[in-house]
Amino acid sequence: MSTYTPSGAATRSGFSLDTLRYYERIGLLSGVVRSSSGHRVFTDGDLEWLGVLRCLRDTGMPISDMQRYAELARDGEQTLTERLNLLREHAKAVEEHLALLADQYRHLQAKIGWYEGQLP
Amino acid sequence: MSTYTPSGAATRSGFSLDTLRYYERIGLLSGVVRSSSGHRVFTDGDLEWLGVLRCLRDTGMPISDMQRYAELARDGEQTLTERLNLLREHAKAVEEHLALLADQYRHLQAKIGWYEGQLP
DNA sequence: GCTTGACCTGGAGCGCGCTCCAGGTTGAAT
DNA sequence: ATTCAACCTGGAGCGCGCTCCAGGTCAAGC
């Protein structure tokens, strides 16, 4: 199990340093170890968790929901069902968003096709 | 060719009244006719244009790009090629976004599957 | 030993895309 | 004639998700 510097964690997670600090402040990221000098030391476990956050963020979950999920995750096994429900609801929202996006993408392509038909 | 009240246009376009006014202010929506009393009168043409804006907005185009597109559209036929380029670039961005979203959606489903495996 | 760059904290600021408000006018229905 | 909902304008305010800043500490390389 390796450890990572703040900037290393930023690079690997794809979040900026400021975002990592922000996530810790608001409780999305807890239990990050500190060195004797107070510097953060990220573990593989932290990076794995950041991967989860990235998935949720990239699929458009609001931060308030991520906070709820993080809180449940901290509370251990008895919250499994609730976490599952939360993810299922989110997945449903993502499906709807994907459907809308795909639909509007088709309109966009149609528009592009129309423009192509107008050219010399 | 019909006309529509502001609230009618809001309902049909799916934008709020405030958003319609805002779009007009920032130049996304121009040439909206006014009644003698100063009230906006929307036409089918306006609603069609709002449909285009909705497509662009829902696919995540930034307002500054929509403003550019609106400006080009106002300038008539000689901007066809430039408008086409703009839409093509945007379509590329949408494709990338869709790909990312689909990818993260798979991760989400995998996570959900994992949770389901943990339950009684 | 000194430099230099990475890191720390708390708090302010920002860009986006609306959304709301005050204060006033208009017009369809009773 | 009166009511009252819908509309108008200019401008302020907001929620989100960061991002930046000041002022200071720390540590690895020369």
Side-chain angles (χ1 to χ4, degrees):
Chain A
M1 180 154 134
S2 320
T3 60
Y4 309 90
T5 63
S7 69
T11 303
R12 280 162 192 270
S13 68
F15 292 114
S16 76
L17 225 60
D18 267 322
T19 299
L20 292 181
R21 294 198 266 250
Y22 168 65
Y23 280 3
E24 195 174 352
R25 266 196 251 190
I26 65 171
L28 277 188
L29 193 54
S30 54
V32 178
V33 172
R34 299 309 182 97
S35 72
S36 57
S37 57
H39 291 193
R40 289 173 183 80
V41 177
F42 291 86
T43 65
D44 284 322
D46 293 328
L47 283 174
E48 206 173 307
W49 174 247
L50 285 171
V52 174
L53 293 183
R54 170 152 292 288
C55 170
L56 298 179
R57 191 198 86 159
D58 284 355
T59 49
M61 181 183 279
I63 280 193
S64 54
D65 289 5
M66 291 201 268
Q67 287 173 312
R68 176 80 183 127
Y69 184 74
E71 190 189 333
L72 291 172
R74 271 198 302 282
D75 288 352
E77 279 201 3
Q78 80 266 27
T79 68
L80 276 174
T81 311
E82 201 171 341
R83 274 182 275 163
L84 177 54
N85 286 341
L86 207 159
L87 291 188
R88 276 179 175 155
E89 274 179 36
H90 177 56
K92 203 176 139 224
V94 175
E95 281 155 29
E96 284 164 13
H97 182 205
L98 267 171
L100 171 67
L101 208 53
D103 192 47
Q104 295 291 31
Y105 177 69
R106 281 191 302 98
H107 289 154
L108 182 58
Q109 287 298 7
K111 191 99 188 154
I112 287 173
W114 179 86
Y115 272 106
E116 284 165 343
Q118 296 294 307
L119 287 183
Chain B
M1 178 153 135
S2 323
T3 61
Y4 310 89
T5 63
S7 69
T11 303
R12 281 162 191 269
S13 67
F15 292 114
S16 76
L17 225 61
D18 268 320
T19 298
L20 291 180
R21 294 198 266 251
Y22 168 66
Y23 280 3
E24 194 173 353
R25 266 195 251 189
I26 65 171
L28 278 187
L29 192 55
S30 53
V32 178
V33 173
R34 300 307 182 98
S35 71
S36 58
S37 57
H39 291 193
R40 290 172 182 82
V41 178
F42 291 85
T43 65
D44 284 322
D46 292 328
L47 283 173
E48 206 173 307
W49 174 247
L50 286 172
V52 174
L53 293 183
R54 171 152 292 288
C55 169
L56 299 179
R57 191 197 86 159
D58 284 356
T59 49
M61 182 183 279
I63 280 194
S64 55
D65 288 5
M66 291 201 268
Q67 286 174 312
R68 175 81 184 129
Y69 184 75
E71 188 190 335
L72 291 172
R74 273 198 301 281
D75 289 351
E77 280 201 3
Q78 79 266 26
T79 67
L80 277 175
T81 311
E82 201 171 341
R83 275 182 274 162
L84 177 54
N85 286 341
L86 207 159
L87 292 189
R88 278 180 174 155
E89 274 179 37
H90 177 55
K92 203 177 138 224
V94 176
E95 282 155 28
E96 284 164 12
H97 182 204
L98 267 171
L100 171 67
L101 210 52
D103 192 46
Q104 295 290 31
Y105 177 69
R106 282 190 302 97
H107 289 155
L108 182 58
Q109 287 298 8
K111 191 100 188 153
I112 287 173
W114 179 85
Y115 272 106
E116 284 165 342
Q118 296 293 307
L119 287 183

